[in-house]
Amino acid sequence: MAKKIKLKDTYRHRGLRLQLVKELKSKGIEDERILQAFMQVKRHYFLDPAFADWAYKDVAFPIDAGQTISQPYTVALQTDLLEVKKGDIILEVGTGSGFQACILAHMGAKVYTIERQRYLFEQTNNLLKEIGFAHIRTLYGDGYKGASRFAPFDKIIITAGATSIPQALIEQLKPGGIMVIPVGDGDVKSMVRIRKGKDGRLTKETHGYCRFVPLLEGKTGKKPKAVNKYVNLD
Ligand code: SAH
């Protein structure tokens, strides 16, 4: 993850982004707003500079604290399934590198994102400020419980693999809202989209399979010192 280095975007990076966008298109991502967001959000800022070349390959990649930044196609697919509209209030569970949150924010959503690992939360919070995404609200806590203080949400996206759908998240979804969550018993999860009807009824569809780091209950680390927009959910 980018730390004490100067972040730089070059023509070469731009060229690599364009290639990635073409690849996403060829894999079925058609929404121009999503493709534009991938063109504008500089993914190499979210990886250690030593691995900048990997930033624009369509693969998942390790970041700090034993976690991964999701594969670009997975980010694009989850974003697509979420049917993001300008002004949507979105909760993301699993901040990680912050890349997915930036894609959503770039599309005009008001984003709240929760991370359970204090170290990652702090790193990413700093990075988002540095790269012009200070308006994303970063939260430190257990996303299993959602973020009731800011609920209800138009959309909820879970970017870690769940074994079941957390009830608190269902409750914090607005009627008419959409949740996208990878769910399954084993390593391979189904990508599930849940729609909550105006009457509160849920309908589910699955959209292929994927791998994710696990959604774990509880949070790790002591309370962080005050950082930008820090909110402890307990
Ligand atoms: N959206 C991220 C991908 C993150 S990987 C990105 O764009 O880079 C999944 C992240 O979910 C990890 O950082 C992990 O620590 C976090 N996580 C797992 N369980 C969680 C929980 N219950 N609450 C909040 N974050 C959680």
Side-chain angles (χ1 to χ4, degrees), residues 99-114:
F99 179 72
Q100 170 80 72
C102 289
I103 292 289
L104 299 172
H106 191 276
M107 293 175 74
K110 179 166 173 39
V111 182
Y112 294 85
T113 181
I114 311 182

mmCIF file of all heavy atoms in Angstrom, residues 99-114:
data_model
loop_
_atom_site.group_PDB
_atom_site.id
_atom_site.type_symbol
_atom_site.label_atom_id
_atom_site.label_comp_id
_atom_site.label_asym_id
_atom_site.label_seq_id
_atom_site.Cartn_x
_atom_site.Cartn_y
_atom_site.Cartn_z
ATOM 1 N N PHE A 99 -9.909 0.518 -2.615
ATOM 2 C CA PHE A 99 -10.138 0.702 -4.052
ATOM 3 C C PHE A 99 -11.623 0.611 -4.424
ATOM 4 O O PHE A 99 -12.156 1.481 -5.129
ATOM 5 C CB PHE A 99 -9.320 -0.325 -4.850
ATOM 6 C CG PHE A 99 -9.514 -0.205 -6.334
ATOM 7 C CD1 PHE A 99 -8.978 0.864 -7.036
ATOM 8 C CD2 PHE A 99 -10.250 -1.153 -7.038
ATOM 9 C CE1 PHE A 99 -9.161 0.985 -8.416
ATOM 10 C CE2 PHE A 99 -10.443 -1.035 -8.410
ATOM 11 C CZ PHE A 99 -9.896 0.042 -9.094
ATOM 12 N N GLN A 100 -12.292 -0.425 -3.941
ATOM 13 C CA GLN A 100 -13.726 -0.570 -4.269
ATOM 14 C C GLN A 100 -14.518 0.655 -3.797
ATOM 15 O O GLN A 100 -15.387 1.157 -4.505
ATOM 16 C CB GLN A 100 -14.271 -1.851 -3.618
ATOM 17 C CG GLN A 100 -15.773 -1.995 -3.682
ATOM 18 C CD GLN A 100 -16.309 -2.494 -5.009
ATOM 19 O OE1 GLN A 100 -16.159 -3.666 -5.357
ATOM 20 N NE2 GLN A 100 -16.953 -1.601 -5.757
ATOM 21 N N ALA A 101 -14.193 1.132 -2.605
ATOM 22 C CA ALA A 101 -14.907 2.308 -2.069
ATOM 23 C C ALA A 101 -14.713 3.507 -2.996
ATOM 24 O O ALA A 101 -15.657 4.279 -3.231
ATOM 25 C CB ALA A 101 -14.397 2.621 -0.666
ATOM 26 N N CYS A 102 -13.503 3.665 -3.537
ATOM 27 C CA CYS A 102 -13.233 4.800 -4.437
ATOM 28 C C CYS A 102 -13.998 4.681 -5.745
ATOM 29 O O CYS A 102 -14.465 5.685 -6.293
ATOM 30 C CB CYS A 102 -11.732 4.914 -4.713
ATOM 31 S SG CYS A 102 -10.815 5.493 -3.278
ATOM 32 N N ILE A 103 -14.136 3.458 -6.254
ATOM 33 C CA ILE A 103 -14.916 3.258 -7.485
ATOM 34 C C ILE A 103 -16.363 3.715 -7.245
ATOM 35 O O ILE A 103 -16.948 4.463 -8.038
ATOM 36 C CB ILE A 103 -14.867 1.772 -7.935
ATOM 37 C CG1 ILE A 103 -13.453 1.384 -8.390
ATOM 38 C CG2 ILE A 103 -15.912 1.484 -9.027
ATOM 39 C CD1 ILE A 103 -12.996 1.983 -9.712
ATOM 40 N N LEU A 104 -16.919 3.309 -6.113
ATOM 41 C CA LEU A 104 -18.312 3.681 -5.796
ATOM 42 C C LEU A 104 -18.434 5.196 -5.607
ATOM 43 O O LEU A 104 -19.378 5.825 -6.093
ATOM 44 C CB LEU A 104 -18.784 2.942 -4.539
ATOM 45 C CG LEU A 104 -18.798 1.411 -4.633
ATOM 46 C CD1 LEU A 104 -19.084 0.797 -3.262
ATOM 47 C CD2 LEU A 104 -19.833 0.941 -5.659
ATOM 48 N N ALA A 105 -17.469 5.775 -4.896
ATOM 49 C CA ALA A 105 -17.507 7.224 -4.644
ATOM 50 C C ALA A 105 -17.353 7.980 -5.959
ATOM 51 O O ALA A 105 -18.011 9.000 -6.190
ATOM 52 C CB ALA A 105 -16.407 7.617 -3.663
ATOM 53 N N HIS A 106 -16.510 7.477 -6.833
ATOM 54 C CA HIS A 106 -16.310 8.133 -8.129
ATOM 55 C C HIS A 106 -17.606 8.165 -8.938
ATOM 56 O O HIS A 106 -17.859 9.079 -9.720
ATOM 57 C CB HIS A 106 -15.214 7.422 -8.917
ATOM 58 C CG HIS A 106 -14.798 8.196 -10.127
ATOM 59 N ND1 HIS A 106 -15.479 8.110 -11.326
ATOM 60 C CD2 HIS A 106 -13.838 9.110 -10.309
ATOM 61 C CE1 HIS A 106 -14.922 8.933 -12.193
ATOM 62 N NE2 HIS A 106 -13.926 9.554 -11.603
ATOM 63 N N MET A 107 -18.453 7.159 -8.716
ATOM 64 C CA MET A 107 -19.734 7.096 -9.430
ATOM 65 C C MET A 107 -20.807 7.946 -8.761
ATOM 66 O O MET A 107 -21.969 7.924 -9.157
ATOM 67 C CB MET A 107 -20.194 5.636 -9.530
ATOM 68 C CG MET A 107 -19.274 4.817 -10.430
ATOM 69 S SD MET A 107 -19.717 3.068 -10.437
ATOM 70 C CE MET A 107 -21.208 3.093 -11.432
ATOM 71 N N GLY A 108 -20.422 8.687 -7.732
ATOM 72 C CA GLY A 108 -21.354 9.643 -7.134
ATOM 73 C C GLY A 108 -22.115 9.121 -5.925
ATOM 74 O O GLY A 108 -23.067 9.766 -5.475
ATOM 75 N N ALA A 109 -21.701 7.953 -5.405
ATOM 76 C CA ALA A 109 -22.368 7.428 -4.209
ATOM 77 C C ALA A 109 -21.760 8.054 -2.956
ATOM 78 O O ALA A 109 -20.605 8.483 -2.963
ATOM 79 C CB ALA A 109 -22.212 5.907 -4.153
ATOM 80 N N LYS A 110 -22.575 8.071 -1.906
ATOM 81 C CA LYS A 110 -22.053 8.493 -0.597
ATOM 82 C C LYS A 110 -21.672 7.198 0.116
ATOM 83 O O LYS A 110 -22.539 6.376 0.416
ATOM 84 C CB LYS A 110 -23.136 9.253 0.170
ATOM 85 C CG LYS A 110 -22.695 9.704 1.535
ATOM 86 C CD LYS A 110 -23.675 10.740 2.089
ATOM 87 C CE LYS A 110 -23.390 11.121 3.535
ATOM 88 N NZ LYS A 110 -22.008 11.250 3.906
ATOM 89 N N VAL A 111 -20.384 7.018 0.345
ATOM 90 C CA VAL A 111 -19.886 5.714 0.778
ATOM 91 C C VAL A 111 -19.451 5.697 2.244
ATOM 92 O O VAL A 111 -18.684 6.556 2.687
ATOM 93 C CB VAL A 111 -18.687 5.273 -0.105
ATOM 94 C CG1 VAL A 111 -18.198 3.889 0.301
ATOM 95 C CG2 VAL A 111 -19.057 5.295 -1.583
ATOM 96 N N TYR A 112 -19.956 4.687 2.950
ATOM 97 C CA TYR A 112 -19.466 4.343 4.290
ATOM 98 C C TYR A 112 -18.775 3.003 4.129
ATOM 99 O O TYR A 112 -19.336 2.089 3.514
ATOM 100 C CB TYR A 112 -20.625 4.165 5.273
ATOM 101 C CG TYR A 112 -21.387 5.437 5.541
ATOM 102 C CD1 TYR A 112 -22.410 5.839 4.697
ATOM 103 C CD2 TYR A 112 -21.059 6.236 6.627
ATOM 104 C CE1 TYR A 112 -23.102 7.017 4.936
ATOM 105 C CE2 TYR A 112 -21.747 7.414 6.874
ATOM 106 C CZ TYR A 112 -22.765 7.797 6.029
ATOM 107 O OH TYR A 112 -23.442 8.962 6.269
ATOM 108 N N THR A 113 -17.569 2.864 4.671
ATOM 109 C CA THR A 113 -16.877 1.589 4.529
ATOM 110 C C THR A 113 -16.283 1.162 5.863
ATOM 111 O O THR A 113 -15.706 1.978 6.573
ATOM 112 C CB THR A 113 -15.824 1.656 3.393
ATOM 113 O OG1 THR A 113 -15.183 0.377 3.279
ATOM 114 C CG2 THR A 113 -14.779 2.730 3.605
ATOM 115 N N ILE A 114 -16.466 -0.101 6.211
ATOM 116 C CA ILE A 114 -16.024 -0.609 7.520
ATOM 117 C C ILE A 114 -14.889 -1.610 7.357
ATOM 118 O O ILE A 114 -14.973 -2.498 6.504
ATOM 119 C CB ILE A 114 -17.138 -1.421 8.237
ATOM 120 C CG1 ILE A 114 -18.447 -0.674 8.252
ATOM 121 C CG2 ILE A 114 -16.722 -1.768 9.660
ATOM 122 C CD1 ILE A 114 -19.533 -1.432 8.993
#
